[in-house]
Amino acid sequence: VVDNCNSYVNISVGENTNGKLRLGGVVGRFAANACDAVFTNCKYYGNMNLEFKNASVASQIGGVLGCVGDISAGDEFTFNNCENHGTITIKDFFKTSRMGGVLGYSFYLDGAKPAEFEGLKNAGNITISSSLTTATAVYFGGVVANLEYHSLKNCHNSGNLEFTSLDAVATVAMGGIVG
């Protein structure tokens, strides 16, 4: 259970990061095996400045939660009433990147129950720019970057979204609520 946690820290990631980056203003990666998982009432007020110029990174970035995964068969995940008020600035993303104002990415194991994400809010501006030629896919949403298998209810985005790429990206999915 993660409940009523607030983060005010500024987060910076340098340009030589390698591997997988799962980054959130409150929690980077949330996994729950063989139990129900609850993540509620959390808020992020800091700012993220991320630059991946010399990186080899597949990223999952969210203002509150970067990635939720490994929810086992029969288990439930609750993600409600979380908010991002910070700005997110990302330069030179690499590979497949998922970036959301509140949640970056959610994946489940076979048999897990679909989650209903409710009351998620983003008020922070998100700016993504790249001059690299190595990005294959970008999922970019004001609230959730990439939504598979789950549903959203009563979610809001009032932050501005800006995406600039000097190179053609094979897949770009961008939306005010979901990418």
Side-chain angles (χ1 to χ4, degrees):
V1 174
V2 177
D3 184 39
N4 202 32
C5 296
N6 297 321
S7 174
Y8 296 85
V9 301
N10 292 321
I11 298 172
S12 296
V13 174
E15 59 182 68
N16 290 311
T17 304
N18 291 300
K20 290 183 181 177
L21 177 65
R22 294 173 175 156
L23 177 67
V26 177
V27 172
R29 183 175 187 268
F30 187 69
N33 290 318
C35 65
D36 291 342
V38 178
F39 198 107
T40 57
N41 304 309
C42 296
K43 296 180 176 93
Y44 179 63
Y45 294 96
N47 296 305
M48 292 184 193
N49 290 298
L50 316 172
E51 183 174 350
F52 304 126
K53 191 171 188 171
N54 297 315
S56 176
V57 176
S59 58
Q60 299 161 355
I61 300 165
V64 174
L65 177 58
C67 171
V68 60
D70 298 334
I71 306 298
S72 300
D75 292 339
E76 293 184 18
F77 174 60
T78 302
F79 186 51
N80 295 333
N81 303 316
C82 293
E83 301 176 10
N84 174 48
H85 297 274
T87 62
I88 301 172
T89 304
I90 301 169
K91 293 180 183 176
D92 292 331
F93 55 87
F94 191 90
K95 293 190 179 180
T96 299
S97 296
R98 295 172 173 95
M99 299 159 273
V102 178
L103 173 64
Y105 185 55
S106 177
F107 65 93
Y108 276 32
L109 299 177
D110 289 339
K113 297 177 183 176
E116 182 176 273
F117 301 153
E118 185 172 357
L120 305 179
K121 297 177 184 174
N122 177 56
N125 294 330
I126 305 171
T127 303
I128 300 174
S129 62
S130 183
S131 60
L132 301 178
T133 60
T134 53
T136 56
V138 176
Y139 301 91
F140 174 31
V143 175
V144 178
N146 191 213
L147 186 69
E148 298 174 5
Y149 193 64
H150 313 293
S151 64
L152 290 176
K153 182 177 179 183
N154 297 321
C155 296
H156 304 277
N157 175 42
S158 60
N160 294 315
L161 307 177
E162 182 180 335
F163 175 81
T164 307
S165 178
L166 299 179
D167 185 51
V169 178
T171 301
V172 177
M174 179 177 165
I177 302 291
V178 177

